[in-house]
Amino acid sequence: MADENLEKYLSVLNEQQREAVVHEGSPLLILAGAGSGKTRVITTKIAYLIGQKEVNPYSILSVTFTKKAANEMRERAVRMEPLAERSQIRTFHSFGSWFLRKYYEEAGVEQSFTLYDDEDMAILIRKIEPALTQKEARLAAHQIALAKDYCLGPQDDLAIIASEFDLPDIYEKYEARLRSTGNVDFGDLIMMPVTVMEAVPQIAAQIHQRFNVIMVDEYQDSNIAQYKLLQKISGVEEGYQNYVCVVGDDDQSIYKFRGAEVQNILTFSSKFPGTQIIRLERNYRSTSEILAAASLVVNKNSDRLGKTLIADRGEGGFPVLAYLPDQNAEVTFCSDLIQKSVDKGGKYSDWAILYRTNAQSLGFEKDFLHKHIPYVVVGSLKFYEREEIKDALSYLALCANPKDEISFRRVINKPSRGLGEKTQDKIFDIARVVQEDGQSSYKSLIETLESLLADGGLSKKASEGAEAFVKMYRDLTAFFDKSKKLSDFIERLIKYSGLDEYHKASDEVEGTQRLQNLQELVNSAVPYECSIEGLVAFLDAINLDRALELQAEEAGEDCVTLITLHNTKGLEYNKVVITGLEQGVFPRENKVGADLEEERRLFYVGITRARDELYVTSTAQRVLYGHTQFMSPSIFLNESEEAFKIVGQKPRPQWGYGYVGNAGSFGANRSAGGELASKWAKGTKLYHDDYGYGVIVSNRMNGTEFLIEVQFETGNKKTFIPQYQSKSLQIIK
């Protein structure tokens, strides 16, 4: 690179960015605040090393976490210095694959190995342990993958990974079977290079000599295995003087559920002696008022290295904190903001609605559809397109119409009941009635199943499944009672059908929120009565929403973004609304210590996505678990309220779900619930007709209703209103 060309790229850097680019010698930790231009720094540094310091591009290794980020890094570096094309700019897993194909013999794999994904792992585990169900095999596969993220083998102490299996035994058998095929899984791509370099010092020496410069982007997202891989590549333990530079932001470490370990960045200086820390604190994205709110939030964390963001863009308007009566008002507040902005010449695409869980998108989706506000859901399917929601709606449709073929086929064998396609075809052949005009119609598919059972027309396994399905269906439809809410019926259906247990496995393995999505479907049914008429009205409303969805898909690119906070990292929007700032919603329930600090970092990430305008909402009431519950403002708002312009009335503390002080019990002065609180006291043992034996773990008032929470021997935890459910609840003396 010519000196004048290089200087052109260096000239656009601020003082701290330039210092980071030209730094050499000791290990370097670049603490890059949100919106501080870290990608520009790391790509310019690659070009600078090659063009100015004449470092052999072949000796440079730069790793990050996604293929998209690696490609962008390579393109930008090559644009500044064409010789950067010869450098290794990869993802962690891509580097692991390169390493194992190069040293395949020492690793004990085939050079042409196949990479096993999560599903392949589960299939292999079922071959090893046939007694495991598919759900159990997937969970075991997830736990083995987690062990590899911690760089733990089957012989190591796996107590850190909670498991209901003999995990070391399954893990050992799985490894033996996988090695016998010569293939590897994703965890092996990181863990095996570490073990190979530990076992074969000559290979470690070759890697140290090959890569004189090692750079890692988004270092706060690294897990234990990736940290150990960095140690091995750099040779820091063996005394090599390779140059190591990591870039990251401890305040944006929000992926613990994926195995990320924030301590990797917090302890980098102690693990790599002589480290210099350079802080990139000039923010090019947000206004000073937005950054002031972000700082107030994250400064409450104790486990951080610390930095102060400075707004390059200067001042703007104050962020707004809106206290609203309920979630319907929250949705209306957002849609009104957006529509008024567009009416004044703005774009829908200026706006992003952020929330803690995917389930919170439903209210916004429904409202936006009816108000013709175009939107896109980022990082997940639209609410009614999600598998678990389609499953529940198919069960509901079948309850409304027992002749519904599509719904019947979707749910009859989900969860598995031994009623495969051939058996289903047989049922339809019997149920089909041919009219005189040659047209076909169906009898009730439930009645057809009952007649097949009576005639012995099914195999033993299919008969058992069909009998269970028919009993479940009859019990469910007998539950209709106009004095109850349809939400009670749907909650019962989700449990009786087995959908909760079926999708619970996905939540555990994939980190999805399927059970919360199902609960949000329950919440949406609260206004409807528990009857066939109520069910039909509910399904009609949903079908109307889905029809509007199809029309809205033609809206084009000018759309509001609906997105979870976790999915926003690395993104930015002109105008941001962060919703659901209540205790129990955000932060989630029972978050303390390091977990609470990660939730706080998640709020910080959300705030720093906003360029021009920031709004935060908190509701006094929210429908949760099928009931309207009082909420208390998030602890994060108490910590940062001074940075916001407040609209609406902050709710007074209530005895209920979200009360921070003593939400789970009653004092003697609560006369409204005094008698009930005495009868249904914490610690009282009882028996429930459906759930078995349990004990009351908390009680509380929710408005005028007295609620108890019961922990059952099965592990289930349920909430009841004993005034109305005393017949099914028996106190055990």
Side-chain angles (χ1 to χ4, degrees), residues 201-261:
Q202 298 91 328
I203 291 178
Q206 289 175 24
I207 293 297
H208 302 153
Q209 292 163 9
R210 164 72 193 272
F211 298 113
N212 303 132
V213 175
I214 304 106
M215 289 189 270
V216 183
D217 191 21
E218 301 286 5
Y219 188 61
Q220 78 282 343
D221 294 336
S222 61
N223 60 34
I224 297 295
Q226 288 160 340
Y227 156 71
K228 289 190 173 184
L229 180 60
L230 174 61
Q231 278 194 315
K232 287 298 172 187
I233 296 171
S234 67
V236 64
E237 294 174 317
E238 291 81 7
Y240 280 82
Q241 298 300 311
N242 291 8
Y243 182 71
V244 178
C245 169
V246 300
V247 185
D249 184 2
D250 52 329
D251 291 332
Q252 296 189 70
S253 179
I254 58 173
Y255 296 126
K256 184 179 180 181
F257 67 96
R258 294 181 189 167
E261 177 50 71

Coordinates of all heavy atoms in Angstrom, one line a residue, residues 201-261:
P201 N 3.1 -31.1 20.8 CA 3.8 -29.8 20.9 C 4.3 -29.3 19.6 O 4.4 -28.1 19.3 CB 4.9 -30.0 21.9 CG 4.4 -31.2 22.8 CD 3.6 -32.0 21.8
Q202 N 4.7 -30.2 18.7 CA 5.2 -29.8 17.4 C 4.2 -29.1 16.6 O 4.5 -28.1 15.9 CB 5.7 -31.0 16.6 CG 6.9 -31.8 17.3 CD 6.3 -32.9 18.2 OE1 5.2 -32.8 18.8 NE2 7.1 -34.0 18.3
I203 N 2.9 -29.5 16.6 CA 1.9 -28.8 15.9 C 1.6 -27.5 16.5 O 1.4 -26.5 15.8 CB 0.6 -29.7 15.9 CG1 0.8 -31.0 15.1 CG2 -0.6 -28.9 15.4 CD1 -0.4 -31.9 15.0
A204 N 1.6 -27.4 17.8 CA 1.4 -26.1 18.5 C 2.5 -25.1 18.0 O 2.2 -24.0 17.7 CB 1.5 -26.3 20.0
A205 N 3.8 -25.6 18.0 CA 4.9 -24.8 17.5 C 4.7 -24.3 16.1 O 5.0 -23.1 15.7 CB 6.2 -25.5 17.7
Q206 N 4.2 -25.2 15.2 CA 3.9 -24.8 13.8 C 2.9 -23.7 13.7 O 3.0 -22.8 12.9 CB 3.5 -26.0 13.0 CG 4.5 -27.1 12.8 CD 4.0 -28.3 12.1 OE1 2.9 -28.2 11.4 NE2 4.6 -29.4 12.2
I207 N 1.8 -23.8 14.6 CA 0.8 -22.8 14.6 C 1.3 -21.5 15.1 O 1.0 -20.4 14.5 CB -0.4 -23.3 15.4 CG1 -1.1 -24.5 14.7 CG2 -1.4 -22.1 15.6 CD1 -1.7 -24.2 13.3
H208 N 2.1 -21.5 16.2 CA 2.7 -20.3 16.7 C 3.6 -19.6 15.7 O 3.6 -18.4 15.6 CB 3.5 -20.6 18.0 CG 2.8 -21.3 19.0 ND1 3.4 -22.1 20.0 CD2 1.5 -21.3 19.3 CE1 2.5 -22.6 20.8 NE2 1.3 -22.2 20.4
Q209 N 4.3 -20.4 14.9 CA 5.2 -19.8 13.9 C 4.5 -19.3 12.7 O 4.9 -18.3 12.1 CB 6.3 -20.8 13.5 CG 7.3 -21.2 14.7 CD 8.0 -22.5 14.4 OE1 7.9 -23.0 13.3 NE2 8.7 -22.9 15.4
R210 N 3.4 -19.9 12.4 CA 2.6 -19.6 11.3 C 1.9 -18.2 11.5 O 1.8 -17.3 10.6 CB 1.6 -20.7 10.9 CG 0.4 -20.3 10.0 CD 0.9 -20.1 8.6 NE -0.1 -19.4 7.8 CZ -1.1 -20.0 7.1 NH1 -1.2 -21.3 7.2 NH2 -2.0 -19.4 6.4
F211 N 1.2 -18.1 12.7 CA 0.4 -16.9 12.9 C 1.1 -16.0 13.9 O 1.0 -16.2 15.2 CB -1.0 -17.3 13.4 CG -1.7 -18.1 12.4 CD1 -2.1 -19.5 12.7 CD2 -2.2 -17.6 11.2 CE1 -2.8 -20.2 11.7 CE2 -2.9 -18.3 10.3 CZ -3.2 -19.6 10.5
N212 N 1.8 -15.0 13.4 CA 2.5 -14.0 14.3 C 1.5 -12.9 14.8 O 1.8 -12.3 15.8 CB 3.6 -13.3 13.5 CG 4.6 -14.3 13.0 OD1 5.0 -14.2 11.8 ND2 5.0 -15.3 13.8
V213 N 0.4 -12.8 14.1 CA -0.6 -11.8 14.5 C -1.9 -12.5 14.7 O -2.4 -13.1 13.7 CB -0.7 -10.6 13.5 CG1 -1.8 -9.6 13.9 CG2 0.6 -9.9 13.4
I214 N -2.6 -12.4 15.8 CA -3.9 -13.0 16.1 C -4.8 -11.9 16.6 O -4.5 -11.2 17.6 CB -3.8 -14.1 17.1 CG1 -2.8 -15.2 16.6 CG2 -5.2 -14.7 17.3 CD1 -1.6 -15.2 17.4
M215 N -5.9 -11.7 15.9 CA -6.9 -10.7 16.3 C -8.3 -11.4 16.4 O -8.6 -12.2 15.6 CB -7.0 -9.6 15.2 CG -5.8 -8.7 15.3 SD -6.0 -7.2 14.2 CE -5.4 -7.8 12.7
V216 N -9.0 -11.0 17.4 CA -10.4 -11.5 17.7 C -11.4 -10.4 17.8 O -11.2 -9.5 18.6 CB -10.4 -12.4 19.0 CG1 -11.8 -13.0 19.1 CG2 -9.3 -13.5 18.9
D217 N -12.4 -10.5 17.0 CA -13.5 -9.5 17.1 C -14.6 -10.0 18.0 O -14.8 -11.2 18.1 CB -14.0 -9.2 15.7 CG -14.9 -8.0 15.6 OD1 -14.9 -7.1 16.5 OD2 -15.7 -7.9 14.7
E218 N -15.4 -9.1 18.6 CA -16.5 -9.5 19.4 C -16.1 -10.4 20.5 O -16.8 -11.4 20.8 CB -17.7 -10.1 18.6 CG -18.2 -9.2 17.5 CD -19.1 -8.1 18.0 OE1 -19.2 -7.9 19.3 OE2 -19.7 -7.3 17.2
Y219 N -15.0 -10.1 21.2 CA -14.4 -11.1 22.1 C -15.3 -11.3 23.3 O -15.2 -12.3 24.0 CB -13.0 -10.5 22.6 CG -12.2 -11.5 23.4 CD1 -11.8 -12.7 22.9 CD2 -11.9 -11.2 24.7 CE1 -11.1 -13.6 23.7 CE2 -11.1 -12.1 25.5 CZ -10.8 -13.3 25.0 OH -10.1 -14.2 25.8
Q220 N -16.1 -10.4 23.6 CA -17.0 -10.6 24.8 C -18.0 -11.7 24.6 O -18.6 -12.2 25.5 CB -17.8 -9.3 25.1 CG -19.0 -9.0 24.2 CD -18.6 -8.4 22.8 OE1 -17.5 -8.0 22.7 NE2 -19.5 -8.5 21.9
D221 N -18.2 -12.2 23.3 CA -19.1 -13.3 23.0 C -18.4 -14.6 23.0 O -19.0 -15.6 22.7 CB -19.7 -13.0 21.7 CG -20.7 -11.8 21.7 OD1 -21.1 -11.4 22.8 OD2 -20.9 -11.3 20.6
S222 N -17.1 -14.7 23.3 CA -16.4 -16.0 23.3 C -16.7 -16.8 24.5 O -17.1 -16.4 25.5 CB -14.9 -15.7 23.3 OG -14.5 -15.0 24.4
N223 N -16.7 -18.2 24.2 CA -16.9 -19.1 25.3 C -15.6 -19.6 25.8 O -14.5 -19.2 25.4 CB -17.9 -20.2 24.9 CG -17.3 -21.0 23.7 OD1 -16.1 -21.2 23.6 ND2 -18.2 -21.5 22.9
I224 N -15.6 -20.6 26.8 CA -14.4 -21.1 27.4 C -13.5 -21.8 26.4 O -12.3 -21.6 26.4 CB -14.8 -22.1 28.6 CG1 -15.5 -21.3 29.7 CG2 -13.5 -22.7 29.1 CD1 -14.7 -20.3 30.4
A225 N -14.1 -22.6 25.5 CA -13.3 -23.3 24.5 C -12.7 -22.4 23.6 O -11.5 -22.6 23.2 CB -14.2 -24.3 23.8
Q226 N -13.3 -21.3 23.2 CA -12.8 -20.3 22.2 C -11.6 -19.6 22.9 O -10.6 -19.2 22.3 CB -13.8 -19.4 21.7 CG -14.8 -20.1 20.7 CD -16.1 -19.4 20.6 OE1 -16.5 -18.6 21.4 NE2 -16.8 -19.7 19.5
Y227 N -11.8 -19.3 24.2 CA -10.7 -18.6 25.0 C -9.5 -19.5 25.0 O -8.3 -19.1 24.8 CB -11.2 -18.3 26.4 CG -10.1 -18.2 27.4 CD1 -9.2 -17.1 27.4 CD2 -9.9 -19.1 28.3 CE1 -8.2 -16.9 28.3 CE2 -8.8 -19.0 29.3 CZ -8.0 -17.9 29.2 OH -7.0 -17.8 30.1
K228 N -9.7 -20.8 25.3 CA -8.5 -21.7 25.3 C -7.9 -21.9 23.9 O -6.7 -22.0 23.8 CB -9.0 -23.1 25.8 CG -9.4 -23.1 27.3 CD -9.6 -24.5 27.9 CE -9.7 -24.4 29.4 NZ -9.9 -25.8 30.0
L229 N -8.7 -21.8 22.9 CA -8.1 -21.9 21.5 C -7.3 -20.7 21.3 O -6.2 -20.9 20.7 CB -9.3 -22.0 20.5 CG -8.9 -22.1 19.0 CD1 -8.0 -23.3 18.8 CD2 -10.1 -22.1 18.1
L230 N -7.7 -19.5 21.7 CA -6.9 -18.3 21.5 C -5.5 -18.5 22.3 O -4.5 -18.1 21.7 CB -7.6 -17.1 22.0 CG -6.8 -15.8 22.0 CD1 -6.4 -15.4 20.6 CD2 -7.7 -14.7 22.7
Q231 N -5.6 -19.0 23.5 CA -4.4 -19.2 24.2 C -3.4 -20.1 23.5 O -2.2 -19.9 23.4 CB -4.7 -19.8 25.6 CG -5.1 -18.8 26.7 CD -5.1 -19.4 28.1 OE1 -5.6 -20.5 28.3 NE2 -4.5 -18.7 29.0
K232 N -4.0 -21.2 22.9 CA -3.1 -22.2 22.2 C -2.5 -21.6 21.0 O -1.4 -21.9 20.6 CB -3.9 -23.5 22.0 CG -4.2 -24.3 23.2 CD -2.9 -24.8 23.8 CE -3.1 -25.4 25.2 NZ -1.8 -25.7 25.8
I233 N -3.4 -20.9 20.2 CA -2.9 -20.4 18.9 C -1.8 -19.3 19.2 O -0.7 -19.3 18.5 CB -4.0 -19.7 18.1 CG1 -5.1 -20.7 17.7 CG2 -3.5 -19.0 16.9 CD1 -6.3 -20.1 17.1
S234 N -2.0 -18.5 20.2 CA -1.0 -17.4 20.5 C 0.3 -17.9 21.1 O 1.3 -17.3 21.0 CB -1.7 -16.4 21.4 OG -1.9 -17.0 22.7
G235 N 0.2 -19.1 21.8 CA 1.4 -19.6 22.5 C 1.7 -18.8 23.7 O 2.9 -18.9 24.2
V236 N 0.8 -18.1 24.3 CA 1.1 -17.3 25.5 C 1.6 -18.1 26.7 O 2.5 -17.7 27.4 CB -0.1 -16.4 25.9 CG1 -1.3 -17.3 26.3 CG2 0.2 -15.4 27.0
E237 N 1.1 -19.3 26.8 CA 1.5 -20.2 27.9 C 2.9 -20.8 27.7 O 3.6 -21.1 28.6 CB 0.5 -21.4 28.0 CG -0.9 -20.9 28.5 CD -1.9 -22.1 28.5 OE1 -1.8 -22.9 27.5 OE2 -2.7 -22.2 29.4
E238 N 3.3 -20.9 26.4 CA 4.6 -21.4 26.1 C 5.7 -20.3 26.0 O 6.8 -20.5 25.7 CB 4.6 -22.2 24.8 CG 3.8 -23.5 24.9 CD 2.3 -23.3 24.7 OE1 1.9 -22.2 24.4 OE2 1.6 -24.3 24.9
G239 N 5.3 -19.0 26.2 CA 6.2 -17.9 26.2 C 6.5 -17.3 24.8 O 7.4 -16.5 24.6
Y240 N 5.7 -17.6 23.8 CA 5.8 -17.0 22.5 C 5.4 -15.6 22.5 O 4.6 -15.1 23.3 CB 5.0 -17.8 21.4 CG 5.6 -19.0 20.9 CD1 5.5 -20.2 21.7 CD2 6.3 -19.1 19.8 CE1 6.1 -21.4 21.2 CE2 6.9 -20.3 19.3 CZ 6.8 -21.4 20.0 OH 7.3 -22.6 19.6
Q241 N 6.0 -14.8 21.7 CA 5.8 -13.3 21.6 C 4.8 -12.9 20.5 O 5.0 -11.8 19.9 CB 7.1 -12.6 21.5 CG 8.1 -12.8 22.7 CD 7.5 -12.4 24.0 OE1 7.0 -11.3 24.1 NE2 7.5 -13.3 25.0
N242 N 3.9 -13.8 20.1 CA 3.0 -13.4 19.0 C 2.1 -12.3 19.5 O 1.8 -12.1 20.7 CB 2.1 -14.6 18.7 CG 2.9 -15.8 18.0 OD1 4.1 -15.7 18.0 ND2 2.2 -16.8 17.6
Y243 N 1.8 -11.4 18.5 CA 0.9 -10.2 18.8 C -0.5 -10.6 18.9 O -1.1 -11.2 17.9 CB 1.2 -9.2 17.7 CG 0.4 -7.9 18.0 CD1 0.8 -7.0 19.0 CD2 -0.7 -7.6 17.2 CE1 0.1 -5.9 19.2 CE2 -1.4 -6.4 17.4 CZ -1.0 -5.5 18.4 OH -1.7 -4.4 18.7
V244 N -1.2 -10.3 20.0 CA -2.6 -10.7 20.2 C -3.3 -9.4 20.5 O -3.0 -8.6 21.3 CB -2.7 -11.6 21.4 CG1 -4.2 -11.9 21.7 CG2 -2.0 -12.9 21.2
C245 N -4.4 -9.2 19.7 CA -5.3 -8.1 19.8 C -6.7 -8.5 19.8 O -7.2 -9.2 18.9 CB -5.1 -7.1 18.7 SG -6.3 -5.8 18.5
V246 N -7.5 -8.2 20.9 CA -8.9 -8.6 20.9 C -9.7 -7.3 21.0 O -9.3 -6.3 21.7 CB -9.2 -9.5 22.1 CG1 -8.4 -10.8 22.0 CG2 -9.0 -8.9 23.5
V247 N -10.9 -7.3 20.4 CA -11.8 -6.2 20.3 C -13.1 -6.6 20.9 O -13.6 -7.7 20.5 CB -11.9 -5.7 18.9 CG1 -12.8 -4.4 18.9 CG2 -10.6 -5.5 18.2
G248 N -13.7 -5.8 21.8 CA -15.0 -6.2 22.3 C -15.5 -5.2 23.3 O -14.8 -4.2 23.5
D249 N -16.7 -5.4 23.8 CA -17.3 -4.5 24.8 C -17.9 -5.4 25.9 O -18.9 -6.1 25.6 CB -18.4 -3.7 24.0 CG -19.0 -2.6 25.0 OD1 -18.6 -2.6 26.1 OD2 -19.9 -1.9 24.5
D250 N -17.3 -5.3 27.1 CA -17.9 -6.1 28.2 C -19.3 -5.6 28.5 O -20.1 -6.5 29.0 CB -17.0 -5.9 29.4 CG -16.7 -4.4 29.8 OD1 -16.7 -3.6 28.8 OD2 -16.5 -4.1 31.0
D251 N -19.7 -4.4 28.2 CA -21.1 -3.9 28.4 C -22.1 -4.5 27.5 O -23.3 -4.3 27.6 CB -21.1 -2.4 28.4 CG -20.4 -1.8 29.6 OD1 -20.3 -2.4 30.6 OD2 -19.9 -0.6 29.4
Q252 N -21.6 -5.2 26.4 CA -22.5 -5.8 25.4 C -22.4 -7.3 25.4 O -22.8 -8.0 24.4 CB -22.3 -5.2 24.0 CG -22.5 -3.7 23.9 CD -22.5 -3.2 22.5 OE1 -23.3 -3.6 21.7 NE2 -21.4 -2.5 22.2
S253 N -22.0 -7.9 26.5 CA -22.0 -9.4 26.7 C -23.4 -9.8 27.1 O -23.7 -9.7 28.3 CB -20.9 -9.8 27.7 OG -20.9 -11.2 27.8
I254 N -24.1 -10.4 26.2 CA -25.6 -10.7 26.4 C -26.0 -12.1 26.0 O -27.1 -12.4 25.9 CB -26.5 -9.7 25.8 CG1 -26.3 -9.7 24.2 CG2 -26.3 -8.3 26.4 CD1 -27.3 -8.8 23.5
Y255 N -24.9 -13.0 25.7 CA -25.3 -14.3 25.2 C -24.8 -15.4 26.1 O -24.4 -16.5 25.6 CB -24.6 -14.4 23.8 CG -25.2 -13.5 22.8 CD1 -24.3 -12.7 22.0 CD2 -26.5 -13.4 22.5 CE1 -24.8 -11.8 21.1 CE2 -27.0 -12.5 21.6 CZ -26.2 -11.7 20.8 OH -26.7 -10.9 19.9
K256 N -25.0 -15.2 27.4 CA -24.6 -16.3 28.3 C -25.4 -17.6 28.0 O -24.8 -18.7 28.1 CB -24.9 -15.9 29.8 CG -24.5 -16.9 30.8 CD -24.7 -16.4 32.2 CE -24.3 -17.4 33.2 NZ -24.6 -16.9 34.6
F257 N -26.6 -17.5 27.6 CA -27.4 -18.6 27.3 C -26.9 -19.4 26.1 O -27.2 -20.6 25.9 CB -28.9 -18.3 27.0 CG -29.1 -17.5 25.7 CD1 -29.5 -18.1 24.6 CD2 -29.0 -16.1 25.7 CE1 -29.7 -17.4 23.4 CE2 -29.2 -15.4 24.6 CZ -29.5 -16.0 23.4
R258 N -26.0 -18.8 25.3 CA -25.3 -19.6 24.2 C -23.9 -20.0 24.6 O -23.2 -20.5 23.8 CB -25.2 -18.6 23.0 CG -26.5 -18.3 22.3 CD -26.2 -17.4 21.1 NE -27.4 -16.8 20.6 CZ -27.4 -15.8 19.7 NH1 -26.3 -15.3 19.3 NH2 -28.6 -15.3 19.2
G259 N -23.5 -19.8 25.9 CA -22.2 -20.2 26.3 C -21.2 -19.1 26.4 O -20.1 -19.3 26.9
A260 N -21.6 -17.8 26.1 CA -20.6 -16.7 26.1 C -20.2 -16.5 27.6 O -21.0 -16.6 28.5 CB -21.2 -15.5 25.5
E261 N -18.9 -16.2 27.8 CA -18.4 -16.0 29.1 C -17.8 -14.6 29.2 O -16.7 -14.3 28.7 CB -17.4 -17.1 29.5 CG -16.7 -16.9 30.8 CD -17.7 -16.7 31.9 OE1 -18.4 -17.7 32.3 OE2 -17.8 -15.6 32.4

